[in-house]
Amino acid sequence: MEELVEKAREALKNAYAPYSKFRVGAAVLTKSGKIYTGVNVENASYGLTVCAERVAVFKAVSEGDRDIVAVAVVVDSDEPAAPCGACRQVIAEFNPDALVIMATADKRKVITANLRDLFPSPFRGDKLKS
Ligand code: THU
């Protein structure tokens, strides 16, 4: 888990956050043992911004690696930040019980949670009509 936080921290340098100046790095661990990193990517058309967690999840899934075990989120701030609702829903698609690790870049504060506690009622594909 320390390695996962470290990878997310290393990714921070690539965050593209010229508007909010709030840099976020994420790292996703899959069952295969591989780690995929992501950063927030902002846009002049603000609403097009994508969070670090979703970038990391989409990288894993686009490599065919869907069994998400844990997601680390590191912020360049004094307090850890929990994934936004959209990211919780996206992570839950692949593992509603994923371990979520939230840390500050200086690693002084690290909080862990089960996604189920952060996001108890995800929308599931089985609700869709066949
Ligand atoms: N952000 C993330 O990357 N992950 C989160 O969980 C919360 C917010 C980004 C989006 C935007 O670039 C900046 O942080 C401020 O909201």
Side-chain angles (χ1 to χ4, degrees):
M1 293 305 108
E2 256 173 49
E3 189 189 343
L4 199 61
V5 170
E6 180 54 25
K7 293 278 186 216
R9 198 190 65 80
E10 283 169 12
L12 264 182
K13 66 177 185 302
N14 296 325
Y16 180 71
Y19 305 106
S20 73
K21 317 268 189 234
F22 188 73
R23 299 189 304 143
V24 186
V28 164
L29 172 71
T30 61
K31 248 187 205 159
S32 69
K34 285 195 189 154
I35 290 175
Y36 301 84
T37 60
V39 296
N40 53 332
V41 183
E42 298 188 347
N43 191 276
S45 178
Y46 290 6
L48 299 180
T49 293
V50 181
C51 295
E53 298 90 320
R54 268 175 286 162
V55 171
V57 169
F58 294 158
K59 276 169 75 175
V61 173
S62 64
E63 295 294 318
D65 215 352
R66 299 178 186 166
D67 290 331
I68 291 173
V69 174
V71 180
V73 190
V74 173
V75 292
D76 200 10
S77 190
D78 293 339
E79 296 294 329
C84 77
C87 290
R88 293 178 202 199
Q89 172 69 29
V90 166
I91 299 165
E93 177 78 19
F94 300 101
N95 182 1
D97 284 303
L99 173 66
V100 180
I101 308 164
M102 298 152 275
T104 55
D106 62 13
K107 295 183 187 167
R108 279 193 205 172
K109 293 189 180 167
V110 181
I111 300 169
T112 59
N114 186 294
L115 182 60
R116 179 93 50 189
D117 296 322
L118 295 177
F119 198 60
S121 304
F123 180 72
R124 304 288 297 171
D126 57 12
K127 297 286 182 300
L128 298 171
K129 283 184 186 164
S130 55

